[in-house]
């Protein structure tokens, strides 16, 4: 059975910092409460514009987009670039990192310029050179336009680089930074290679169905191009050159025609000599002969929910005969591949969509070093907390079994991640006995609720069990001098206890782990969970598809329910405190409704402006003004609202990657919005909080 991932838990009013002891008295909270006449007014404290989003350091790559190999100080190294816009250097024998990341992007290449090891990559859309030893830029950026492929080579005894992209191809002298010849073609090109034919240097560019040879000095084509006219469009993403029978040839992997072999002297084309569907590739020397090494796409390979292959077959082929010499599988969806020697043996280095750099012995197919793993995989979901009196962000990816902790001020990861026994479906932070703690709901693998000390990662108490398959929300609070964990779960009667309705709010005593109350939802599912205070008492609120329900946590009783606009169970809900009351901000499609949780009445000031469904909501204060931030990936906007007027007061720049969740935090008196996205966390400085 599959489940949709719920947004982070919604108890921001209660869970950050210490929870005060509840006063003795009645264990029943009356509801509805009397309406208030207080209404806040805006003093114009919200800035007219906001800063651009800043990506937090996720501790590694967010998809590996390119890899290269070489040597640094007589030490074999691998170079990798990731979608998070960093370039990293690894010891090729151990895959341990060397030095700090370089702020750059792929594609990358590696070589020597005037005796200096140099990394070639992309920076702000231009070709950039970095000294691999100092990690400092060498000269200024070289204007190439957006490029997709890069090749390192030599011309008249001088190191050169060729790039190819949407604006054509360019060739540069790497020592001087000067361009060699005019721009080549107009693009768009997907691949580039450098090769010598009869001692003359040629630039090969690959586009859709076409490979062209160019003179780098004149910028003119040389000879007839290779034009493929298959039944389906062939995108030429890779070109490798070698010698077969003493003649230079180009090997071009395609999606439908196998590897095309193009004789660069006779211009004869051989198709289907290397049958298969191939992707990233390289050349290696194995047992004295040159071999073609490539990722081979097989239709039966299983994929994850994002469409990435769970494993990738690696094929080793004799390019002269088309014979498959060996093959083996490695984990993940490999998107880049490079070949080098280690101790006299050929090895491959790969990068992929699982954020991981891997190394394998080409002869045996065995992994030669533990993989260099990156940041969380998939969509990242986070909540805010506090550790050592500093704001932190806890987040996990779709793999769901690892929770990382990031310092909000530096944007860097702290300590080691918290490892859990199953997929996390909800989590919250709080204070227990003066310690910062994590409460996590495990929904798949080992359905339970678990509590950890954030500083030591030590578990607190025994797992709280009893959910059939899904823990949709968790919270930590205190009532009548007892520390309580509140959990909301949606249970399938066929999968769990058929005598229990498929929705429940459960309340446990900590640290004994005793189940104090098991409260059922008569119709429908419990939905999302929030924790508020009414009359000084903790009250749990669950949001189903059409109703909000209130539960007295201390008494263990359902207090009341009221209708809300129809929404999905996973639609975002945020709790806000303004106008002297507690408000639920509920996204109902493209409209965002506001409900007074003290009275159950709908506030007559909905947030109107999005043209498509809202998927993220956050509440905070900027310049003393209560604001809401809403996000719709479908209308591609992030909007900021003044809640005293329900008017939009600004927009935020969207990050370059997918954004799925929003939450608000505060750092040194400033309001900071945190967004969880595709393998990334983003922050926006919204200005002074007060």
């Amino acid at each position: 059975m599959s489940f949709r991932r719920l947004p982070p838990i919604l108890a921001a009013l209660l869970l950050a910092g210490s929870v005060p002891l509840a006063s003795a008295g009645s264990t029943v909270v009356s509801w509805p409460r009397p309406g208030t006449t207080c209404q806040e007014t805006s003093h114009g404290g919200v800035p007219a514009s906001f800063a651009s989003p800043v990506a937090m350091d996720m501790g590694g790559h967010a998809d590996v987009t390119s890899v290269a190999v070489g040597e640094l100080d007589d030490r074999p190294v691998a170079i990798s670039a990731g979608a998070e816009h960093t370039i990293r250097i690894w010891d090729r024998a151990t895959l341990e990192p060397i030095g700090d990341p370089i702020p750059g992007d792929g594609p990358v290449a590696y070589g020597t310029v005037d005796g200096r090891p140099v990394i070639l990559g992309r920076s702000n859309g231009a070709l950039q050179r970095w000294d691999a030893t100092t990690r400092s830029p060498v000269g200024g950026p070289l204007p190439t336009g957006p490029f997709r492929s890069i090749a390192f080579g030599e011309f008249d005894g001088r190191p050169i680089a060729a790039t190819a992209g949407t604006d054509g191809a360019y060739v540069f002298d790497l020592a001087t930074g000067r361009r060699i010849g005019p721009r080549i073609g107009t693009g768009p090109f997907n691949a580039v290679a450098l090769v010598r034919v009869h001692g003359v240097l040629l630039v090969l560019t690959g586009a859709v169905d076409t490979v062209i040879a160019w003179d780098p000095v004149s910028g003119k084509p040389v000879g007839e191009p290779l034009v493929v006219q298959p039944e389906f469009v062939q995108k030429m993403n890779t070109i490798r050159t070698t010698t077969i029978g003493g003649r230079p040839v180009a090997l071009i992997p395609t999606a439908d025609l196998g590897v095309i072999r193009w004789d660069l002297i006779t211009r004869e084309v051989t198709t289907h000599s290397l049958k298969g569907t191939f992707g990233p590739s390289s050349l290696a020397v194995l047992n004295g002969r040159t071999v073609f090494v490539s990722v081979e796409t097989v239709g039966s390979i299983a994929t994850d929910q994002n469409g990435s292959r769970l494993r990738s077959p690696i094929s080793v082929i004799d390019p002269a005969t088309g014979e498959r010499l060996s093959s083996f599988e490695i984990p993940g969806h490999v998107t880049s591949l490079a070949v080098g020697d280690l101790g006299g043996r050929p090895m491959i280095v790969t990068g992929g969509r699982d954020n991981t750099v891997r190394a394998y012995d080409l002869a045996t197919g065995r992994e030669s070093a533990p993989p260099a793993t990156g940041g969380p995989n998939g969509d990242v979901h986070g909540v805010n907390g506090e550790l050592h009196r500093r704001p932190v962000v806890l987040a996990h990816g779709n793999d769901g079994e690892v929770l990382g902790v990031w310092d909000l001020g530096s944007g860097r990861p702290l300590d080691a991640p918290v490892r859990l026994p199953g997929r996390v479906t909800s989590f919250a932070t709080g204070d227990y006995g003066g310690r910062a703690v994590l409460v996590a709901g495990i929904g798949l693998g080992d359905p339970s609720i678990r509590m950890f000390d954030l500083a030591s990662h030590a578990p607190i108490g025994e797992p709280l069990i009893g959910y059939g398959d899904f823990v949709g929300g968790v919270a930590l609070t205190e009532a009548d001098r007892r520390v309580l964990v509140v959990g909301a779960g949606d249970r399938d009667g066929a999968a769990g206890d058929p005598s229990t309705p498929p929705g429940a709010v459960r309340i446990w005593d900590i640290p004994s782990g005793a189940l104090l109350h098991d409260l059922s939802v008569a119709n429908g599912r419990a939905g999302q969970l929030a924790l508020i205070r009414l009359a000084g008492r903790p009250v749990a609120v669950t949001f189903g598809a059409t109703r909000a329900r209130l539960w007295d946590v201390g008494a263990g009783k359902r207090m009341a329910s009221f209708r809300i606009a129809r929404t999905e169970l996973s639609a975002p809900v945020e709790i806000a405190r303004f106008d002297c009351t507690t408000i639920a901000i509920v996204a109902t499609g493209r409209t965002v409704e506001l409900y007074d949780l003290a009275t159950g009445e709908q506030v007559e000031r909905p947030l109107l402006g999005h043209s498509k469904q809202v998927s993220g909501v956050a509440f905070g204060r900027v310049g003393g003004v209560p604001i809401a931030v809403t996000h719709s990936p479908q209308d591609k906007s992030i909007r900021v609202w003044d809640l005293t007027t329900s008017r939009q007061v600004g927009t935020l720049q969207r990050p370059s990657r997918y954004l799925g969740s929003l939450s608000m935090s505060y750092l040194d008196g400033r309001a900071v919005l945190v967004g969880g996205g595709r393998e990334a966390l983003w922050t926006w400085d919204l200005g002074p909080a007060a």
Side-chain angles (χ1 to χ4, degrees):
M1 184 174 183
S2 62
F3 297 92
R4 294 187 62 183
R5 170 64 170 82
L6 297 183
I9 207 65
L10 310 169
L13 294 181
L14 215 83
L15 297 179
S18 61
V19 180
L21 290 176
S23 59
S26 171
T27 59
V28 178
V29 182
S30 62
W31 191 91
R33 308 290 297 172
T36 62
T37 57
C38 164
Q39 182 172 348
E40 296 189 37
T41 58
S42 173
H43 301 290
V46 181
S49 61
F50 302 95
S52 301
V54 176
M56 298 181 72
D57 180 1
M58 300 306 290
H61 286 310
D63 291 352
V64 181
T65 59
S66 180
V67 292
V69 297
E71 289 194 355
L72 179 61
D73 299 328
D74 297 324
R75 182 182 185 184
V77 295
I79 315 298
S80 62
E84 78 295 344
H85 307 298
T86 67
I87 296 172
R88 299 170 186 256
I89 305 176
W90 313 89
D91 183 304
R92 200 160 4 121
T94 63
L95 288 187
E96 291 291 327
I98 302 174
D100 294 328
I102 297 170
D105 203 354
V108 292
Y110 190 72
T112 301
V113 178
D114 292 339
R116 172 192 299 178
V118 170
I119 298 170
L120 302 180
R122 184 166 48 196
S123 177
N124 297 320
L127 176 64
Q128 182 63 61
R129 300 157 289 172
W130 288 276
D131 185 311
T133 302
T134 65
R135 289 167 178 71
S136 300
V138 178
L142 307 180
T144 61
F147 63 93
R148 302 169 180 170
S149 180
I150 186 170
F152 204 111
E154 186 179 284
F155 181 63
D156 290 340
R158 299 184 63 81
I160 63 170
T163 64
T166 58
D167 194 31
Y170 295 84
V171 182
F172 289 92
D173 183 314
L174 291 175
T176 64
R178 295 174 181 171
R179 196 165 76 188
I180 298 173
R183 180 181 67 175
I184 296 174
T186 57
F189 298 137
N190 302 314
V192 68
L194 296 169
V195 65
R196 288 192 175 275
V197 178
H198 297 311
V200 177
L201 181 70
L202 297 180
V203 179
L204 304 182
T205 61
V208 176
D209 296 340
T210 305
V211 177
I212 305 174
W214 307 82
D215 179 347
V217 177
S218 67
K220 296 180 179 180
V222 177
E224 293 297 319
L226 164 66
V227 180
V228 180
Q229 295 179 335
E231 182 180 355
F232 302 103
V233 172
Q234 304 299 313
K235 202 172 183 180
M236 311 297 191
N237 291 324
T238 305
I239 302 173
R240 302 297 178 191
T241 61
T242 187
T243 300
I244 296 178
R247 293 144 73 107
V249 299
L251 302 174
I252 307 148
T254 67
D256 302 299
L257 300 177
V259 179
I260 296 173
R261 194 171 75 195
W262 190 30
D263 189 310
L264 294 174
I265 294 179
T266 66
R267 299 301 172 98
E268 293 180 354
V269 177
T270 305
T271 59
H272 300 298
S273 61
L274 285 74
K275 295 182 180 179
T277 303
F278 298 97
S281 62
S282 188
L283 294 169
V285 176
L286 180 63
N287 298 327
R289 61 176 165 177
T290 299
V291 295
F292 179 77
V293 184
S294 184
V295 180
E296 188 167 5
T297 303
V298 179
S300 60
I301 293 292
T303 60
D304 64 15
Q305 59 185 358
N306 297 310
S308 295
R309 294 189 295 273
L310 298 179
R311 300 189 68 80
S312 292
I314 305 295
S315 295
V316 181
I317 302 174
D318 186 330
T321 64
E323 176 190 2
R324 270 182 178 75
L325 304 177
S326 64
S327 64
F328 53 93
E329 285 190 348
I330 66 176
H333 187 142
V334 173
T335 58
S336 50
L337 180 150
V339 174
D341 285 341
L342 183 65
R345 297 179 63 85
M347 66 173 297
I348 64 170
V349 176
T350 66
R353 293 183 184 172
D354 59 355
N355 311 337
T356 302
V357 177
R358 303 176 187 273
Y360 289 84
D361 186 303
L362 188 59
T364 64
R366 295 175 182 171
E367 198 162 22
S368 59
T373 57
N377 198 30
D379 299 338
V380 176
H381 305 272
V383 297
N384 301 317
E386 189 173 282
L387 182 62
H388 307 313
R389 298 187 178 181
R390 292 286 292 175
V392 297
V393 179
L394 283 85
H396 70 86
N398 279 354
D399 44 22
E401 297 181 6
V402 177
L403 274 167
V405 184
W406 283 262
D407 179 84
L408 187 61
S410 67
R412 298 182 67 86
L414 294 173
D415 305 321
V418 179
R419 296 191 176 274
L420 299 168
R423 179 167 294 181
V424 179
T425 54
S426 55
F427 56 111
T429 60
D431 184 279
Y432 173 68
R435 292 182 288 173
V437 298
L438 164 73
V439 183
I442 312 298
L444 299 173
D446 182 12
S448 60
I449 295 177
R450 295 172 181 252
M451 192 164 156
F452 293 85
D453 184 306
L454 264 182
S456 67
H457 296 180
I460 299 174
E462 296 296 322
L464 307 176
I465 60 175
Y467 287 106
D469 41 37
F470 194 70
V471 182
V474 290
L476 178 70
T477 186
E478 191 168 316
D480 299 327
R481 300 182 182 275
R482 304 177 80 168
V483 180
L484 306 175
V485 167
V486 183
D490 289 330
R491 290 179 284 181
D492 189 334
D497 182 356
S499 66
T500 304
V505 174
R506 292 188 164 194
I507 302 168
W508 283 270
D509 175 73
I510 298 296
S512 70
L515 177 61
L516 302 180
H517 307 289
D518 188 357
L519 311 176
S520 64
V521 177
N523 297 300
R525 297 184 178 272
Q528 298 189 62
L529 171 73
L531 207 58
I532 66 172
R533 280 191 178 272
L534 291 178
R537 301 284 295 173
V539 172
V541 188
T542 56
F543 297 89
T546 59
R547 300 197 71 82
R549 299 174 173 87
L550 287 81
W551 315 81
D552 186 321
V553 173
K557 294 181 179 180
R558 183 170 125 174
M559 295 165 50
S561 69
F562 60 90
R563 292 192 64 83
I564 60 175
R566 175 172 290 277
T567 184
E568 297 183 8
L569 283 174
S570 59
V573 181
E574 177 78 332
I575 302 301
R577 178 77 184 177
F578 68 98
D579 283 356
C580 303
T581 190
T582 303
I583 302 292
I585 307 174
V586 184
T588 59
R590 62 186 181 184
T591 301
V592 181
E593 305 283 358
L594 284 73
Y595 295 90
D596 188 331
L597 292 178
T599 65
E601 296 178 356
Q602 186 170 355
V603 178
E604 296 180 358
R605 302 196 304 267
L607 309 182
L608 303 174
H610 285 287
S611 60
K612 301 291 183 179
Q613 183 170 335
V614 175
S615 68
V617 178
F619 165 77
R621 285 184 178 269
V622 175
V625 178
I627 66 162
V629 181
T630 58
H631 172 237
S632 170
Q634 296 179 1
D635 73 11
K636 299 180 180 179
S637 69
I638 305 175
R639 301 169 186 253
V640 183
W641 310 83
D642 182 338
L643 290 175
T644 65
T645 62
S646 291
R647 293 179 179 175
Q648 181 179 322
V649 293
T651 60
L652 299 178
Q653 179 182 330
R654 298 170 64 243
S656 58
R657 297 170 67 79
Y658 167 79
L659 185 68
S661 63
L662 297 175
S663 59
M664 192 73 72
S665 189
Y666 300 92
L667 176 69
D668 300 331
R670 300 185 69 83
V672 178
L673 180 71
V674 180
R678 176 70 177 159
E679 299 179 344
L681 286 170
W682 302 87
T683 62
W684 290 259
D685 185 338
L686 300 186

